[in-house]
Amino acid sequence: MSDLTGDMDDGALEGAPTLIAHAAAVDHAARHSLDVSIDDFFVPDEGRLGERTRLALGRLLQALIDTVGGEVVGHAVRLLRAQGEEAKANALGRVDLLDRLRGPGVLCDRALMAELIGRVRQELMAGFMPAQAPEEPDRPSLINRMVQHPDRVLAQAALAVLTAESRRRAVREAGPLSRSDLPAELHHRLVWLIAAALREECLEVAGSQAALDRALAESAQRSLAAHDEGDRLEAAVMRLAAAVDARADELVDLMTESLGGRRVTLFAGLLAHALGIEYPLARDIVLDADGSRLWIALRALAFGREAIARIGVALIEADPRRDVERFADLLDTIMAVDTDAARESLSLLRLPVDFRAAIMDVERRAR
């Protein structure tokens, strides 16, 4: 048995400052953990991510980092090995990128997380939405009818949506994605964040730092050059909505049938085009459990009671945050909203997103 009462050796004395520093770090981490727990406790229920959303978001984030990080790491490793920088190349392959980026909160980027949360909720809603049996069983689905449309522009736009849907893997699946499917600005930001995190992790590894920096820069630029945000599902849906350019009397059937076919993206795209707003805003309106903005938007488009009721029920069945009794009680009030008044109330939404953000910032400061 070790002598617990003997004199301390020199190694123990030298290690004492390290132990003190470690204890201080643990104390800081414990305080931070308590702060996080307190903040979490006081978040209202309507502001929380549901468990299924949280899990799907975690999987999407992991897959996204694996996808973009894999592109950057793979090419950088090849470049470094070609220059004989084996130590740096091997170190790059061992980096846990998600842990590295999540630790200091690098991924807490408002725009990036808004896009990912919106994408996850969009996919989950589509997955949990009950498919409605078509009135004519032998009739092709809406998107397939569009693919077969004699208008070549419309048909090609519909085919692009089908292709984008098949490329985007469901959020419940694991593993790298075929592409990030991020807007260009967010993809660029993520690529450079990943390159910087890889650099930081390998600073102390033997070898040429200049060679590592050059390899990471070239690999990042290669990933950026390959990215085309026009291939994104949301971009394809907006092109299809523009190609359809539905008249007011056509829009009701198109939007209700798109939900019946579990195509939440198409529903949001048709809504965005009809209102003249950006897709992310239309998606937020559709996904918002409160629903008031969507009901006003549908009244602005002159939707009648039956159409709004069908859309409301479909969304309620797909989203446990929504209350069918509250919606039923609200339906008379929704229908009492004048179409012109609804259009006027949505005028601010048609402004550019940066302008709206600036307006809200000025108003907040004025208060």
Side-chain angles (χ1 to χ4, degrees):
M1 179 182 292
S2 299
D3 185 358
L4 301 180
T5 61
D7 294 335
M8 288 180 290
D9 59 25
D10 292 341
L13 292 172
E14 291 173 359
T18 302
L19 181 60
I20 292 171
H22 176 72
V26 170
D27 180 61
H28 178 77
R31 289 173 181 271
H32 176 69
S33 178
L34 177 61
D35 290 340
V36 170
S37 298
I38 292 171
D39 290 342
D40 180 69
F41 178 77
F42 286 104
V43 172
D45 289 342
E46 60 271 19
R48 288 181 184 280
L49 291 177
E51 188 60 27
R52 69 184 188 185
T53 304
R54 184 185 296 275
L55 290 172
L57 180 61
R59 282 192 286 267
L60 175 59
L61 196 55
Q62 179 70 68
L64 195 61
I65 298 301
D66 289 346
T67 302
V68 180
E71 291 177 356
V72 175
V73 169
H75 190 63
V77 165
R78 287 193 294 273
L79 292 174
L80 288 168
R81 284 186 173 147
Q83 300 173 60
E85 295 288 345
E86 283 294 326
K88 292 285 190 186
N90 292 337
L92 278 183
R94 293 193 297 266
V95 177
D96 184 340
L97 268 173
L98 182 59
D99 185 62
R100 179 69 190 176
L101 291 168
R102 186 167 48 189
V106 173
L107 290 175
C108 296
D109 179 280
R110 187 179 182 85
L112 176 62
M113 294 309 296
E115 174 63 26
L116 298 185
I117 290 170
R119 185 162 143 185
V120 161
R121 283 180 166 161
Q122 175 179 272
E123 298 286 347
L124 287 172
M125 177 176 282
F128 284 92
M129 187 166 288
Q132 298 176 6
E135 296 179 2
E136 304 175 43
D138 296 331
R139 191 185 189 199
S141 68
L142 174 61
I143 195 73
N144 285 326
R145 295 200 309 274
M146 290 179 173
V147 170
Q148 298 165 11
H149 200 280
D151 183 330
R152 189 168 57 87
V153 173
L154 195 159
Q156 288 180 346
L159 183 59
V161 169
L162 281 178
T163 303
E165 285 179 340
S166 67
R167 267 200 314 262
R168 179 174 290 180
R169 296 178 61 181
V171 295
R172 290 178 291 278
E173 294 183 25
L177 308 167
S178 61
R179 59 191 69 200
S180 76
D181 251 14
L182 289 173
E185 180 182 352
L186 297 181
H187 181 82
H188 285 212
R189 196 180 306 171
L190 183 60
V191 166
W192 290 120
L193 283 174
I194 284 174
L198 289 166
R199 180 185 189 275
E200 183 71 17
E201 192 73 9
C202 299
L203 280 176
E204 304 302 322
V205 178
S208 168
Q209 188 60 37
L212 174 66
D213 290 346
R214 286 194 303 271
L216 288 173
E218 182 176 326
S219 299
Q221 288 166 336
R222 179 173 178 268
S223 177
L224 297 180
H227 184 72
D228 182 1
E229 70 173 347
D231 287 340
R232 300 178 64 233
L233 173 57
E234 292 79 5
V237 161
M238 288 302 293
R239 290 196 299 272
L240 176 58
V244 172
D245 197 19
R247 299 189 307 268
D249 60 328
E250 299 173 323
L251 198 57
V252 171
D253 289 339
L254 290 173
M255 290 180 65
T256 52
E257 191 174 352
S258 65
L259 278 191
R262 297 179 173 179
R263 283 193 158 86
V264 177
T265 50
L266 181 55
F267 179 88
L270 291 167
L271 180 68
H273 180 75
L275 294 177
I277 62 178
E278 303 99 335
Y279 181 89
L281 177 57
R283 179 179 61 195
D284 289 347
I285 290 173
V286 173
L287 296 177
D288 185 3
D290 175 76
S292 57
R293 290 186 298 173
L294 178 59
W295 313 140
I296 296 299
L298 296 181
R299 288 300 296 141
L301 297 172
F303 275 39
R305 186 185 189 92
E306 182 182 352
I308 291 177
R310 286 177 62 189
I311 289 169
V313 169
L315 294 176
I316 287 166
E317 290 182 341
D319 188 346
R321 299 174 300 161
R322 300 174 191 255
D323 186 338
V324 66
E325 292 183 1
R326 180 178 180 274
F327 174 66
D329 293 340
L330 192 61
L331 195 51
D332 286 338
T333 303
I334 294 170
M335 296 312 301
V337 175
D338 178 73
T339 299
D340 290 335
R343 288 172 183 156
E344 179 64 26
S345 71
L346 296 176
S347 60
L348 189 65
L349 300 184
R350 296 187 177 93
L351 298 177
V353 61
D354 291 337
F355 190 15
R356 290 202 314 275
I359 290 172
M360 287 187 281
D361 188 45
V362 169
E363 289 176 346
R364 184 170 58 250
R365 292 175 186 275
R367 289 196 296 268

